[in-house]
Amino acid sequence: MLSRLLRHPVALIIGVVAALFALYEISVRFLAYTADAYVMSDIVVISSQIEGPVSRLAVQNNQPVAAGDLLFEIERTPFALKVQEAQATLIQAQADLGLAQDEVRAATANITATQAVQTNAQSQLARVRTLSGEGYSPEASLDVATRDVATAGANVLAAQAQLAVASQRVAVATAAIGSAQAALAKAQYDLSKTVVTAPEPGRIAPFTTRLGDYLSAGSEVLALVTERRRRVVANMGERHLARIRLGQRVLLTLGSDPWVLHWGRVSGIAAGVARSPHNPRVIPYVEPTTDWVRLPRRFPVEVTLDGWPPGLGLFHGADARVLIWF
């Protein structure tokens, strides 16, 4: 039969291809391999929360830093002036409140005085009426007493109105103090953000920001590569997903440590990927083509090594190769 196949090379080639294809289809039922894998860890992107020119850069590319180390500073003078302005506004608002409270006290005392005058005028009117009825007081005295009561009542109403106005001024001054306190807190917060420190230990990834660059709020300045959650992300074909389980043993190699086999376990399986790179990057997008070849849809599978090789260090984005068996 072999001699017949040798006489028909086309049939031989087709047979070899079919055999290799069958062998591949059988192997993928038991093995999942990918060279599309890379080393990752958590990256903290350090952004500016305020705007202004960079006045100091305290780190360099690839420099290790500890939590709390200074990274960079933004020119603080404008923000310090805003703090002083907010403090002055708060002092003014507090003084206005004091004046308004003094007005309330004065208006309250005035009401007491006018009410006393009113009470006295009403008593005088009652006496004059009694005497007038008995014929001992002239009609003119009754008119004067009646006028005094009316005047005293008007003065009481005016004093009460003054108290209402003074009370409103207290409310306005109190609100102004609250607004000034909020403005001062915001100014102090912005001033504190002129100094940016490392939130946790790591290494500074190469960055392009330079001294004097003007930053806007939200500008990404540099990235801190931490060693938190060191892992390998393997983009596995969708045909393997149904058989991959959390905790499965994994054999892998690292591009930064070639020809050395490492053991790990599956620690995460992506629930989904974006179908287009133009979608919001809330979920990962895995390029479905490589070297002009269309590939099956692939999903990121995270692998955690049993133990990171001593002294190897972490190289974020370094290549890896992963083999999973079912």
Side-chain angles (χ1 to χ4, degrees), residues 5 9-10 32 36 45 70 102 114 125 133 152 182 214-215 257 273 280 290 310 314:
L5 289 175
V10 174
D36 184 14
V45 178
L70 177 65
D102 289 341
T114 55
L125 176 61
Y214 193 89
L215 305 177
D257 191 24
V273 294
T290 179
L314 175 71

Side-chain angles (χ1 to χ4, degrees), residues 5-319:
L5 289 175
L6 292 175
R7 288 195 297 270
H8 297 84
V10 174
L12 176 62
I13 293 172
I14 293 175
V16 171
V17 170
L20 291 175
F21 179 75
L23 181 61
Y24 170 77
E25 287 297 319
I26 293 172
S27 66
V28 296
R29 298 294 299 177
F30 302 97
L31 299 171
Y33 170 80
T34 181
D36 184 14
Y38 46 90
V39 176
M40 283 194 70
S41 67
D42 288 353
I43 291 183
V44 180
V45 178
I46 309 297
S47 300
S48 170
Q49 297 188 36
I50 56 175
E51 65 176 30
V54 177
S55 60
R56 182 183 178 189
L57 275 173
V59 293
Q60 299 178 352
N61 291 347
N62 308 313
Q63 176 181 332
V65 295
D69 284 356
L70 177 65
L71 300 179
F72 63 92
E73 292 183 8
I74 296 174
E75 177 57 47
R76 61 180 281 118
T77 302
F79 301 97
L81 292 175
K82 286 183 179 180
V83 169
Q84 294 178 3
E85 181 182 356
Q87 288 172 335
T89 301
L90 177 59
I91 292 172
Q92 180 63 52
Q94 290 170 336
D96 290 343
L97 176 61
L99 289 174
Q101 290 171 336
D102 289 341
E103 290 178 357
V104 167
R105 286 189 287 269
T108 302
N110 192 28
I111 288 176
T112 301
T114 55
Q115 285 175 339
V117 172
Q118 182 185 42
T119 301
N120 182 66
Q122 289 171 341
S123 299
Q124 182 64 22
L125 176 61
R127 288 193 297 269
V128 170
R129 279 177 177 170
T130 302
L131 293 173
S132 178
E134 296 175 353
Y136 293 108
S137 177
E139 190 70 24
S141 297
L142 179 60
D143 293 341
V144 171
T146 302
R147 183 197 61 194
D148 290 345
V149 168
T151 301
N155 289 338
V156 169
L157 292 177
Q160 289 173 338
Q162 289 176 352
L163 177 60
V165 172
S167 298
Q168 283 295 107
R169 288 177 180 171
V170 169
V172 171
T174 301
I177 287 177
S179 177
Q181 288 173 334
L184 176 58
K186 176 64 166 58
Q188 291 172 333
Y189 174 81
D190 288 344
L191 179 61
S192 71
K193 294 305 175 183
T194 60
V195 177
V196 181
T197 59
E200 57 184 286
R203 285 204 303 165
I204 302 298
F207 60 94
T208 59
T209 301
R210 294 296 177 259
L211 193 67
D213 285 355
Y214 193 89
L215 305 177
S216 300
S219 298
E220 296 180 353
V221 180
L222 50 85
L224 180 64
V225 180
T226 74
E227 296 195 5
R228 180 160 39 89
R229 292 203 318 128
R230 291 187 291 187
R231 61 199 184 276
V232 170
V233 177
N235 293 321
M236 287 289 180
E238 55 191 337
R239 68 186 301 170
H240 301 300
L241 295 179
R243 294 187 296 277
I244 297 178
R245 297 286 183 270
L246 293 176
Q248 272 185 310
R249 296 291 285 169
V250 174
L251 194 61
L252 56 89
T253 62
L254 302 174
S256 56
D257 191 24
W259 309 111
V260 178
L261 296 177
H262 303 281
W263 292 96
R265 293 184 182 275
V266 175
S267 56
I269 304 170
V273 294
R275 297 287 294 185
S276 167
H278 306 295
N279 288 346
R281 297 301 294 274
V282 177
I283 57 177
Y285 172 76
V286 181
E287 179 63 48
T289 58
T290 179
D291 296 332
W292 307 102
V293 177
R294 176 74 181 190
L295 299 175
R297 192 65 60 177
R298 292 166 296 159
F299 287 71
V301 173
E302 292 187 358
V303 175
T304 302
L305 273 67
D306 291 350
W308 197 263
L312 177 61
L314 175 71
F315 299 95
H316 186 96
D319 286 334

